[in-house]
Amino acid sequence: MKKTLPVTSALLLTLVIAGCGDNNSAGSGTSGNVADAAPQSGAEATSAAAEPAEVTKIIVGTGTAFPNVCFIDENGKLTGFDVELLKEIDSRLPQYEFDFQTMDFGNLLLSLETKKIDLVAHVMEKNPERELKYSFNKEAYAHWRNRIVVAKGNESIKTLDDLQGKKVLAGATSAQAQILENYNKEHGTDAINIVYQNGAANDTVSQIVSGRVDATLAADFVVPIIDPQSQLQTVGDELSSADILYVLRKDDADSQKLSDAIDGVIVELKADGTLGKLSTEWLGADVTSTTVQ
Protein backbone atom coordinates (compact mmCIF):
# COMPACT_ATOMS: atom_id res chain seq x y z
CA MET A 1 0.00 0.00 0.00
CA LYS A 2 2.87 2.40 0.83
CA LYS A 3 4.38 1.87 -2.61
CA THR A 4 1.18 2.39 -4.62
CA LEU A 5 0.06 5.63 -2.89
CA PRO A 6 2.58 7.98 -4.58
CA VAL A 7 1.78 6.49 -7.98
CA THR A 8 -1.94 7.00 -7.51
CA SER A 9 -1.43 10.59 -6.33
CA ALA A 10 0.77 11.37 -9.28
CA LEU A 11 -1.77 9.91 -11.68
CA LEU A 12 -4.57 12.02 -10.16
CA LEU A 13 -2.42 15.16 -10.34
CA THR A 14 -1.67 14.49 -14.02
CA LEU A 15 -5.37 14.10 -14.79
CA VAL A 16 -6.27 17.36 -13.01
CA ILE A 17 -3.60 19.29 -14.91
CA ALA A 18 -4.70 17.77 -18.19
CA GLY A 19 -8.32 18.64 -17.45
CA CYS A 20 -7.49 22.28 -16.73
CA GLY A 21 -5.56 22.48 -19.94
CA ASP A 22 -8.52 21.21 -21.96
CA ASN A 23 -10.92 23.67 -20.33
CA ASN A 24 -8.64 26.57 -21.11
CA SER A 25 -8.50 25.69 -24.78
CA ALA A 26 -12.27 25.22 -25.08
CA GLY A 27 -13.19 28.35 -23.18
CA SER A 28 -10.82 30.75 -24.94
CA GLY A 29 -10.75 29.24 -28.41
CA THR A 30 -6.98 29.93 -28.46
CA SER A 31 -3.86 28.65 -26.74
CA GLY A 32 -3.63 31.87 -24.71
CA ASN A 33 -2.78 31.95 -21.03
CA VAL A 34 -5.69 31.83 -18.57
CA ALA A 35 -3.94 34.36 -16.36
CA ASP A 36 -3.98 36.89 -19.21
CA ALA A 37 -7.70 36.42 -19.91
CA ALA A 38 -9.06 36.46 -16.33
CA PRO A 39 -8.37 40.13 -15.45
CA GLN A 40 -10.00 41.30 -18.73
CA SER A 41 -13.17 39.33 -18.00
CA GLY A 42 -13.35 40.77 -14.46
CA ALA A 43 -12.88 44.33 -15.71
CA GLU A 44 -15.64 43.92 -18.27
CA ALA A 45 -18.04 42.63 -15.61
CA THR A 46 -17.20 45.52 -13.27
CA SER A 47 -17.71 48.06 -16.06
CA ALA A 48 -21.07 46.57 -17.02
CA ALA A 49 -22.26 46.60 -13.41
CA ALA A 50 -21.19 50.22 -12.99
CA GLU A 51 -23.20 51.44 -15.96
CA PRO A 52 -26.67 52.66 -14.78
CA ALA A 53 -29.72 51.16 -16.45
CA GLU A 54 -31.46 53.54 -18.83
CA VAL A 55 -34.52 55.15 -17.24
CA THR A 56 -37.29 56.69 -19.35
CA LYS A 57 -39.20 59.61 -17.85
CA ILE A 58 -42.98 59.44 -18.34
CA ILE A 59 -45.05 62.61 -17.93
CA VAL A 60 -48.35 61.62 -16.33
CA GLY A 61 -51.28 63.98 -16.76
CA THR A 62 -53.83 64.08 -13.95
CA GLY A 63 -56.12 66.52 -12.15
CA THR A 64 -56.37 68.13 -8.73
CA ALA A 65 -60.11 68.51 -8.19
CA PHE A 66 -61.50 64.98 -7.95
CA PRO A 67 -61.84 64.06 -4.26
CA ASN A 68 -60.13 60.80 -3.30
CA VAL A 69 -59.06 60.18 -6.91
CA CYS A 70 -56.60 62.96 -7.74
CA PHE A 71 -56.57 66.01 -5.47
CA ILE A 72 -54.41 68.27 -3.33
CA ASP A 73 -54.63 67.34 0.36
CA GLU A 74 -54.45 69.65 3.38
CA ASN A 75 -50.64 69.51 3.27
CA GLY A 76 -50.50 70.63 -0.36
CA LYS A 77 -49.64 67.12 -1.57
CA LEU A 78 -51.01 65.58 -4.76
CA THR A 79 -52.60 62.28 -3.78
CA GLY A 80 -55.63 60.03 -4.28
CA PHE A 81 -56.40 56.63 -5.79
CA ASP A 82 -55.03 57.34 -9.25
CA VAL A 83 -51.90 59.03 -7.91
CA GLU A 84 -51.00 56.45 -5.28
CA LEU A 85 -51.70 53.56 -7.65
CA LEU A 86 -49.35 54.97 -10.27
CA LYS A 87 -46.69 55.55 -7.62
CA GLU A 88 -46.92 51.86 -6.75
CA ILE A 89 -46.74 50.88 -10.42
CA ASP A 90 -43.73 53.18 -10.85
CA SER A 91 -41.93 51.50 -7.94
CA ARG A 92 -42.21 48.17 -9.75
CA LEU A 93 -40.97 49.46 -13.11
CA PRO A 94 -37.32 50.49 -12.63
CA GLN A 95 -36.99 51.28 -16.34
CA TYR A 96 -39.47 54.17 -15.98
CA GLU A 97 -39.76 57.28 -13.85
CA PHE A 98 -43.24 58.82 -13.56
CA ASP A 99 -43.47 62.59 -13.26
CA PHE A 100 -46.95 64.00 -12.49
CA GLN A 101 -48.22 67.09 -14.26
CA THR A 102 -51.56 68.49 -13.10
CA MET A 103 -54.09 70.32 -15.24
CA ASP A 104 -57.81 70.84 -15.77
CA PHE A 105 -59.57 67.62 -16.74
CA GLY A 106 -60.73 69.12 -20.04
CA ASN A 107 -57.11 69.64 -21.14
CA LEU A 108 -55.82 66.13 -20.46
CA LEU A 109 -56.61 64.45 -23.76
CA LEU A 110 -55.50 67.44 -25.81
CA SER A 111 -52.21 67.49 -23.92
CA LEU A 112 -51.75 63.81 -24.76
CA GLU A 113 -52.37 64.48 -28.45
CA THR A 114 -49.85 67.34 -28.50
CA LYS A 115 -47.26 65.24 -26.65
CA LYS A 116 -47.13 67.48 -23.60
CA ILE A 117 -47.84 64.39 -21.53
CA ASP A 118 -47.36 60.67 -22.17
CA LEU A 119 -50.19 59.10 -20.20
CA VAL A 120 -53.56 60.20 -18.76
CA ALA A 121 -54.54 58.99 -15.29
CA HIS A 122 -57.95 60.29 -14.22
CA VAL A 123 -60.17 57.19 -13.86
CA MET A 124 -60.74 57.33 -17.62
CA GLU A 125 -63.43 55.13 -19.11
CA LYS A 126 -62.88 53.31 -22.36
CA ASN A 127 -65.60 54.06 -24.90
CA PRO A 128 -65.90 53.87 -28.71
CA GLU A 129 -65.47 57.62 -29.18
CA ARG A 130 -62.18 57.69 -27.29
CA GLU A 131 -60.91 54.54 -28.98
CA LEU A 132 -61.00 56.31 -32.32
CA LYS A 133 -58.29 58.75 -31.21
CA TYR A 134 -56.42 57.16 -28.32
CA SER A 135 -54.88 53.93 -27.13
CA PHE A 136 -55.68 52.21 -23.82
CA ASN A 137 -53.79 49.68 -21.77
CA LYS A 138 -55.54 46.29 -21.65
CA GLU A 139 -55.66 45.41 -17.94
CA ALA A 140 -58.40 47.46 -16.26
CA TYR A 141 -57.60 48.78 -12.79
CA ALA A 142 -61.24 49.53 -11.91
CA HIS A 143 -64.75 48.93 -13.21
CA TRP A 144 -67.95 50.83 -12.58
CA ARG A 145 -71.38 51.82 -13.78
CA ASN A 146 -72.83 55.24 -14.56
CA ARG A 147 -76.23 56.30 -13.29
CA ILE A 148 -78.31 59.48 -12.99
CA VAL A 149 -77.81 61.52 -9.81
CA VAL A 150 -80.44 63.96 -8.47
CA ALA A 151 -81.28 65.76 -5.25
CA LYS A 152 -82.55 63.50 -2.50
CA GLY A 153 -86.33 63.24 -2.64
CA ASN A 154 -86.56 63.99 -6.36
CA GLU A 155 -88.82 61.26 -7.73
CA SER A 156 -89.54 62.85 -11.13
CA ILE A 157 -86.35 61.66 -12.84
CA LYS A 158 -85.53 58.01 -13.49
CA THR A 159 -84.30 57.81 -17.10
CA LEU A 160 -82.51 59.87 -19.73
CA ASP A 161 -85.89 60.61 -21.30
CA ASP A 162 -86.89 62.29 -18.04
CA LEU A 163 -83.94 64.68 -18.48
CA GLN A 164 -85.30 66.19 -21.69
CA GLY A 165 -85.60 69.95 -21.26
CA LYS A 166 -83.62 69.86 -18.01
CA LYS A 167 -80.13 71.07 -17.09
CA VAL A 168 -77.66 68.28 -16.53
CA LEU A 169 -74.15 68.86 -15.21
CA ALA A 170 -71.22 67.08 -16.88
CA GLY A 171 -67.48 67.54 -17.12
CA ALA A 172 -66.28 68.54 -20.57
CA THR A 173 -64.74 65.58 -22.46
CA SER A 174 -65.94 63.18 -19.74
CA ALA A 175 -67.54 59.80 -20.41
CA GLN A 176 -70.71 61.08 -18.75
CA ALA A 177 -70.84 64.03 -21.14
CA GLN A 178 -70.46 61.59 -24.02
CA ILE A 179 -73.55 59.67 -22.85
CA LEU A 180 -75.58 62.90 -22.85
CA GLU A 181 -74.16 64.07 -26.19
CA ASN A 182 -74.99 60.72 -27.80
CA TYR A 183 -78.54 60.99 -26.49
CA ASN A 184 -78.88 64.46 -28.00
CA LYS A 185 -77.61 63.20 -31.35
CA GLU A 186 -80.46 60.71 -31.40
CA HIS A 187 -83.21 62.92 -29.95
CA GLY A 188 -82.36 66.45 -31.05
CA THR A 189 -79.48 68.78 -30.34
CA ASP A 190 -81.09 70.46 -27.34
CA ALA A 191 -83.08 67.53 -25.95
CA ILE A 192 -80.99 67.68 -22.79
CA ASN A 193 -79.43 70.98 -21.75
CA ILE A 194 -75.87 69.94 -20.96
CA VAL A 195 -74.12 72.27 -18.53
CA TYR A 196 -70.40 71.69 -18.85
CA GLN A 197 -68.68 71.80 -15.52
CA ASN A 198 -65.58 73.93 -15.04
CA GLY A 199 -65.36 73.86 -11.25
CA ALA A 200 -64.31 71.16 -8.84
CA ALA A 201 -66.22 67.90 -8.57
CA ASN A 202 -67.43 68.76 -5.07
CA ASP A 203 -69.29 71.76 -6.53
CA THR A 204 -71.73 69.25 -8.01
CA VAL A 205 -73.68 68.87 -4.77
CA SER A 206 -74.35 72.55 -4.30
CA GLN A 207 -75.40 73.02 -7.92
CA ILE A 208 -77.95 70.20 -7.76
CA VAL A 209 -79.29 70.96 -4.29
CA SER A 210 -79.67 74.67 -5.10
CA GLY A 211 -81.55 73.86 -8.31
CA ARG A 212 -79.05 75.51 -10.65
CA VAL A 213 -79.01 72.16 -12.44
CA ASP A 214 -81.43 69.25 -12.21
CA ALA A 215 -79.09 66.30 -12.30
CA THR A 216 -75.72 64.87 -13.22
CA LEU A 217 -74.39 61.48 -14.26
CA ALA A 218 -71.79 59.74 -12.14
CA ALA A 219 -70.03 56.45 -11.56
CA ASP A 220 -71.48 54.42 -8.71
CA PHE A 221 -68.62 55.08 -6.27
CA VAL A 222 -68.61 58.86 -6.71
CA VAL A 223 -71.70 60.01 -4.81
CA PRO A 224 -70.59 58.89 -1.30
CA ILE A 225 -67.26 60.64 -1.85
CA ILE A 226 -68.57 64.02 -3.03
CA ASP A 227 -71.74 63.94 -0.91
CA PRO A 228 -70.86 62.86 2.64
CA GLN A 229 -74.02 64.54 3.99
CA SER A 230 -76.22 62.40 1.69
CA GLN A 231 -78.00 65.25 -0.06
CA LEU A 232 -78.04 63.38 -3.39
CA GLN A 233 -79.31 60.04 -4.62
CA THR A 234 -78.72 57.81 -7.63
CA VAL A 235 -81.81 56.81 -9.59
CA GLY A 236 -82.84 54.49 -12.40
CA ASP A 237 -80.96 51.70 -14.10
CA GLU A 238 -77.29 51.87 -14.99
CA LEU A 239 -76.64 53.85 -18.18
CA SER A 240 -73.33 52.25 -19.04
CA SER A 241 -70.68 49.89 -17.69
CA ALA A 242 -67.05 50.75 -18.20
CA ASP A 243 -63.51 49.52 -17.69
CA ILE A 244 -61.19 52.12 -16.18
CA LEU A 245 -57.84 52.27 -17.96
CA TYR A 246 -54.89 54.52 -18.73
CA VAL A 247 -54.98 56.53 -21.94
CA LEU A 248 -51.93 56.71 -24.21
CA ARG A 249 -51.07 57.93 -27.69
CA LYS A 250 -52.42 55.81 -30.51
CA ASP A 251 -50.10 54.01 -32.98
CA ASP A 252 -47.02 54.84 -30.94
CA ALA A 253 -44.41 52.13 -30.29
CA ASP A 254 -43.09 53.68 -27.07
CA SER A 255 -46.62 54.07 -25.73
CA GLN A 256 -47.36 50.43 -26.49
CA LYS A 257 -44.21 49.32 -24.68
CA LEU A 258 -45.23 51.38 -21.65
CA SER A 259 -48.77 50.02 -21.83
CA ASP A 260 -47.54 46.42 -21.82
CA ALA A 261 -45.29 47.09 -18.83
CA ILE A 262 -48.14 48.69 -16.87
CA ASP A 263 -50.43 45.75 -17.68
CA GLY A 264 -47.90 43.34 -16.22
CA VAL A 265 -47.74 45.26 -12.95
CA ILE A 266 -51.53 45.60 -12.65
CA VAL A 267 -51.79 41.81 -12.90
CA GLU A 268 -49.31 41.58 -10.00
CA LEU A 269 -51.20 44.18 -7.96
CA LYS A 270 -54.45 42.27 -8.38
CA ALA A 271 -52.80 39.00 -7.41
CA ASP A 272 -51.11 40.29 -4.25
CA GLY A 273 -54.13 42.32 -3.09
CA THR A 274 -52.51 45.73 -3.37
CA LEU A 275 -54.99 47.03 -5.95
CA GLY A 276 -58.05 46.10 -3.91
CA LYS A 277 -56.49 47.60 -0.80
CA LEU A 278 -55.83 50.93 -2.51
CA SER A 279 -59.36 51.00 -3.92
CA THR A 280 -60.93 50.38 -0.51
CA GLU A 281 -58.68 52.95 1.15
CA TRP A 282 -59.44 55.75 -1.29
CA LEU A 283 -62.81 54.93 -2.85
CA GLY A 284 -64.52 53.26 0.09
CA ALA A 285 -64.98 49.93 -1.70
CA ASP A 286 -63.13 47.48 -3.90
CA VAL A 287 -64.25 48.54 -7.37
CA THR A 288 -61.48 46.54 -9.05
CA SER A 289 -62.74 42.99 -8.89
CA THR A 290 -65.75 42.81 -11.22
CA THR A 291 -64.98 42.67 -14.93
CA VAL A 292 -67.43 44.59 -17.09
CA GLN A 293 -68.95 42.39 -19.76
Side-chain angles (χ1 to χ4, degrees), residues 105-281:
F105 176 81
N107 293 331
L108 286 169
L109 294 177
L110 178 60
S111 295
L112 182 65
E113 287 183 58
T114 55
K115 299 187 177 182
K116 293 179 180 178
I117 60 176
D118 303 302
L119 178 147
V120 175
H122 201 294
V123 287
M124 300 292 283
E125 297 181 17
K126 181 179 180 179
N127 60 36
E129 291 79 14
R130 286 175 175 167
E131 282 189 281
L132 292 174
K133 299 179 69 174
Y134 310 103
S135 176
F136 293 81
N137 70 300
K138 292 183 175 61
E139 194 70 29
Y141 65 91
H143 316 271
W144 52 64
R145 293 152 178 80
N146 287 301
R147 297 175 67 192
I148 298 171
V149 180
V150 298
K152 183 155 263 184
N154 184 341
E155 301 299 330
S156 65
I157 296 174
K158 300 291 185 183
T159 68
L160 287 176
D161 289 337
D162 296 331
L163 294 176
Q164 288 196 30
K166 292 182 169 57
K167 294 180 179 179
V168 182
L169 191 65
T173 76
S174 69
Q176 292 77 22
Q178 192 68 62
I179 293 172
L180 297 170
E181 290 163 1
N182 287 345
Y183 182 90
N184 280 354
K185 288 178 183 177
E186 296 177 3
H187 297 83
T189 306
D190 299 320
I192 297 174
N193 184 359
I194 306 173
V195 179
Y196 292 99
Q197 184 179 38
N198 294 318
N202 54 13
D203 184 51
T204 298
V205 178
S206 62
Q207 292 210 51
I208 294 176
V209 172
S210 67
R212 292 199 299 273
V213 298
D214 299 287
T216 189
L217 308 185
D220 43 20
F221 82 94
V222 170
V223 176
I225 292 175
I226 67 173
D227 181 33
Q229 296 180 345
S230 300
Q231 299 179 77
L232 304 179
Q233 64 182 16
T234 56
V235 295
D237 297 331
E238 66 181 59
L239 303 175
S240 67
S241 299
D243 286 338
I244 305 306
L245 301 155
Y246 297 113
V247 191
L248 305 97
R249 279 188 290 277
K250 197 176 184 70
D251 301 322
D252 183 284
D254 290 336
S255 292
Q256 186 58 55
K257 183 178 179 181
L258 171 62
S259 177
D260 293 342
I262 289 175
D263 281 336
V265 175
I266 293 176
V267 171
E268 293 176 5
L269 295 175
K270 287 179 178 179
D272 66 21
T274 302
L275 185 60
K277 182 179 178 181
L278 284 171
S279 175
T280 301
E281 176 184 353

Side-chain angles (χ1 to χ4, degrees), residues 13 47 88 185 250:
L13 181 59
S47 176
E88 180 64 31
K185 288 178 183 177
K250 197 176 184 70

